[in-house]
């Protein structure tokens, strides 16, 4: 009797498992042999090994906490779309969000009006940058566009945003992005009628932030990847009215940005150079398309050279007096400060262009309630991930063309 009961239960369970297998589409079924063929060292582990080796030296005591944050769920910001008709601001505020751009540290505003200390010299990779270029200048007052709004949940609150809804015209109310990615757009400080180039623009988060200012005279949007440029077009069409995407106001191209200086020199008032990099956060969580996979080692090693060429192209595309904002989403000194220092040197030696590093401390002081910034970088500023404010990494450095 007992044996019969066990037999019946077993065959019932087997049938259930079979039914479940039928319900699961074939493409989602896990084959056991996959486990046997899975890479011994997945790219995410290789990335972590690489970061442990380099960032523990670069960041010292800060690395363990930055590492924990990088491996934890990131926070997003909702870049508000002024072209949408819905009351997204009120909705998000009712959920407990605040616009980090208007909710600044007023004490910090006072700091930004004070004089900085004077200079010293820094050297890296044999290229010297006069720190006096950075600190001799008066700190320029901040002109933050009143039209860029980015909402975030308070420190320590890890609530996720709901996906944005289309309004009656089909425009989405907000764009979810790392809130720290808005900082390079604020730092770029676009003004009425400016001619602006976004050299590596896809998928378009920063382009959207720049368009929110509603002051740009003409915007050139470029990305070397054709498929990513198509994604960028889709993003723009989901957020921006057609009349602002006409040929008189905006041009979208898919050129190799390193060649831009050969096409258009001394032209733009503002240039954003948001380069491809090791995308540290992505490299730690996603094995697909990971820059640390063995097959992409060469590409990864060539990144600093590509970044340097892109930054130099951006510098030559800017007009004298124009400003260039270099940004990445990596903590790597080789991809950040070293690239900037070499670009300053080569711009002077090869193109006769003198550059000044613009001090971004007023900006970091202002937003220190929202982001954690790396202390004591010799050029540029960097948002470092922190468990209570898990944004970044974002590195940015602003250069002004003197000649
Ligand atoms: N700015 C974008 C945003 O906010 O959404 C993100 C840009 S992503 C960090 C870097 C981009 O550089 C990629 O979309 C990549 O296709 C593009 N890229 C890579 N090599 C390039 C090149 N030689 N010229 C122009 N763009 C390039």
């Amino acid at each position: 009797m007992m044996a019969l009961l066990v037999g019946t239960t077993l065959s019932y369970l087997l049938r259930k498992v079979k039914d479940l297998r039928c319900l699961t589409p074939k493409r989602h079924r896990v084959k056991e042999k996959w486990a046997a063929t899975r890479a011994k060292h997945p790219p995410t582990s290789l990335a972590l090994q690489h970061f442990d080796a380099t960032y523990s030296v670069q960041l010292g005591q800060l690395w363990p906490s930055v590492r924990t944050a990088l491996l934890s769920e990131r926070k997003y910001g909702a870049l508000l779309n002024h072209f949408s008709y819905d009351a997204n601001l009120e909705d998000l505020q009712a959920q407990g969000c605040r616009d980090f751009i208007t909710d600044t540290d007023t004490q910090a505003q006072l700091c930004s009006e004070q004089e900085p200390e004077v200079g010293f010299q820094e050297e890296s990779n044999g290229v010297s940058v006069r720190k006096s270029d950075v600190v001799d200048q008066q700190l320029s007052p901040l002109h933050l566009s009143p039209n860029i709004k980015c909402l975030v949940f308070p420190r320590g609150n890890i609530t996720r945003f709901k996906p944005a809804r289309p309004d009656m015209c089909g425009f989405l109310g907000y764009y979810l992005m790392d809130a720290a990615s808005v900082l390079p757009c604020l730092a770029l400080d676009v003004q009425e009628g400016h001619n602006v180039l976004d050299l590596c623009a896809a998928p378009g988060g920063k382009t959207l932030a720049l368009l929110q200012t509603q002051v740009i005279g003409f915007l050139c949007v470029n990305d070397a990847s054709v498929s990513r440029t198509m994604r960028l077009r889709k993003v723009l069409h989901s957020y921006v009215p057609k009349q602002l995407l006409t040929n008189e106001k905006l041009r979208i191209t898919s050129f190799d940005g390193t060649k831009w200086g050969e096409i258009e020199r001394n032209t733009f008032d503002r240039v954003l150079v948001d380069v491809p990099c090791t995308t540290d956060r992505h490299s730690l969580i996603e094995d697909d398309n990971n820059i640390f996979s063995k097959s992409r080692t060469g590409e990864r090693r060539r990144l600093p050279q590509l970044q340097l060429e892109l930054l130099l192209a951006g510098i030559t595309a800017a007009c004298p007096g124009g400003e260039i904002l270099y940004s990445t989403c990596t903590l790597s000194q080789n991809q950040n400060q070293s690239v900037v220092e070499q670009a300053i040197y080569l711009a002077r030696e090869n193109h006769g262009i003198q550059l000044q590093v613009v001090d971004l401390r007023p900006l970091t002081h202002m937003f220190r309630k929202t982001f954690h910034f790396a202390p004591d970088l010799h050029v540029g500023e960097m948002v470092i991930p922190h468990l209570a404010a898990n944004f970044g990494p974002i590195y940015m450095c602003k250069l002004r063309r003197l000649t």
Side-chain angles (χ1 to χ4, degrees), residues 21 74 82 100 120 157 210 229 290 303 365 377 400:
R21 276 175 63 81
R74 73 188 311 173
H82 283 290
F100 85 80
F120 50 88
N157 180 334
L210 292 175
T229 308
N290 189 312
L303 275 174
H365 275 288
L377 298 196
R400 179 176 299 133

Side-chain angles (χ1 to χ4, degrees), residues 175 177 181 185 198-208 222-226 228-229 232 254-259 272-277 279 306 310 327-329:
Y175 182 87
M177 64 198 290
S181 293
C185 306
D198 187 354
L199 194 60
C200 308
K206 295 190 190 68
T207 313
L208 263 188
N222 179 69
D223 196 283
S225 156
V226 174
R228 285 175 67 92
T229 308
L232 166 82
S254 268
F255 296 137
D256 174 358
T258 61
K259 307 276 188 293
L272 179 61
V273 186
D274 186 35
V275 293
C277 66
T279 52
L306 173 62
L310 285 165
S327 59
T328 74
C329 54

Side-chain angles (χ1 to χ4, degrees), residues 17-60:
V17 168
K18 214 170 154 196
D19 288 351
L20 277 176
R21 276 175 63 81
C22 292
L23 284 176
T24 314
K26 207 170 177 182
R27 64 181 183 283
H28 294 315
R29 281 188 218 151
V30 180
K31 291 183 191 165
E32 269 166 23
K33 70 170 183 187
W34 284 6
T37 55
R38 208 172 48 202
K40 251 196 193 151
H41 303 290
T44 43
S45 310
L46 295 176
L48 188 57
Q49 274 172 28
H50 180 90
F51 295 159
D52 277 334
T54 51
Y55 297 156
S56 57
V57 178
Q58 195 185 302
L59 296 175

